[in-house]
Amino acid sequence: MTTPVRTSASGAASHGHAPYASFSSYVRARGPVLLRTARSLTANPLDAEDLLQTALTKTYVAWERIEDHRALDGYVRRALVNTRTSQWRKRRIDEFACEELPEPARAQGGAPDVAERQVLHDAMWRAVTRLPDRQRAMVVLRYYEDLSEAQTAEVMGVSVGTVKSAVSRALAKLREDPELAPAS
C-alpha cells in the first residue's frame, strides 16, 4: 500500500507546531492498537515497544508529507512490517565451535520452550472443557477473562460465595485431571 505524499515543502513551513500536536494526539489515540500490532510481529513485548517507537519515529519524520491522515494506521503498520523485516534481515547469528554441546535451557532450570507451553495450554483447555458447564463458565470468566469474583457473580447471576465454591471445586477437578499430571 502506498500513501500519497505531499511534494511541496511550503505546506510544512506553514503549520508551525501543529504537526507535533496532531502527531501526539494520533499516538495517544491509536498507540494501544498499534502496540498490539507490533506485539504480533515480535515474540518479546519489549522488542514490540522498540519496534513501535522506531515505526512512529519514521512516521513523525514523514508526517508533513502524508496527505491522507485517514490512512495513518496503514502507514504505521507498513512501517512496522518494513522495520521488522529489516531487523530480521540484519539479524546476526554468531556460531561458536565448542567441544561439548550446551545443556538445553529446560535442564538448567530455564523456562519451558514454546512447544512445551503450547502443549500444556492445549491440555489445560481440554481439561477446562471437561468441567461441568457452570464451573467451566466461572473458570473462564475468572481466569481467562480475568474478571473478579464479584464481576463473575454478577455475570452469572449468583452470589460471590457460589462463585468461590464452584471455582474451588473446578480447580480441584483440574488438579486431579490425569492429562495435567506432571510427566516424571
Side-chain angles (χ1 to χ4, degrees):
M1 174 181 140
T2 59
T3 303
V5 176
R6 194 178 300 155
T7 56
S8 70
S10 62
S14 66
H15 293 301
H17 292 294
Y20 178 75
S22 63
F23 177 77
S24 294
S25 79
Y26 170 74
V27 171
R28 275 192 301 278
R30 301 299 295 160
V33 172
L34 296 170
L35 183 57
R36 280 195 299 273
T37 302
R39 284 187 176 151
S40 71
L41 295 172
T42 65
N44 182 333
L46 297 176
D47 289 342
E49 290 175 8
D50 289 344
L51 177 63
L52 179 59
Q53 287 298 316
T54 302
L56 288 173
T57 299
K58 291 176 180 181
T59 303
Y60 182 75
V61 168
W63 192 256
E64 285 297 312
R65 296 187 318 257
I66 300 171
E67 286 181 5
D68 185 3
H69 279 214
R70 293 173 300 180
L72 283 171
D73 281 0
Y75 186 92
V76 175
R77 284 189 182 104
R78 175 53 48 199
L80 285 167
V81 169
N82 290 346
T83 302
R84 183 63 183 136
T85 302
S86 294
Q87 290 172 345
W88 177 79
R89 285 180 179 153
K90 291 177 186 175
R91 182 182 61 175
R92 201 172 134 212
I93 300 175
D94 293 324
E95 292 183 22
F96 301 99
C98 59
E99 292 183 28
E100 291 183 32
L101 291 175
E103 291 295 321
R106 184 78 171 135
Q108 297 172 356
D113 70 12
V114 175
E116 288 177 18
R117 283 197 319 256
Q118 187 61 48
V119 167
L120 179 59
H121 179 271
D122 293 345
M124 177 59 82
W125 186 248
R126 284 191 302 275
V128 167
T129 61
R130 288 190 293 271
L131 291 171
D133 291 343
R134 186 170 157 163
Q135 287 179 359
R136 180 175 58 244
M138 290 185 191
V139 166
V140 167
L141 290 172
R142 281 287 290 130
Y143 299 106
Y144 284 87
E145 295 297 323
D146 202 26
L147 297 182
S148 68
E149 290 169 340
Q151 291 169 322
T152 302
E154 184 178 332
V155 169
M156 296 292 295
V158 297
S159 71
V160 172
T162 301
V163 171
K164 287 180 179 182
S165 62
V167 168
S168 177
R169 285 191 303 275
L171 293 177
K173 287 181 182 180
L174 291 173
R175 284 186 201 99
E176 294 171 1
D177 192 293
E179 194 176 348
L180 297 176
S184 351

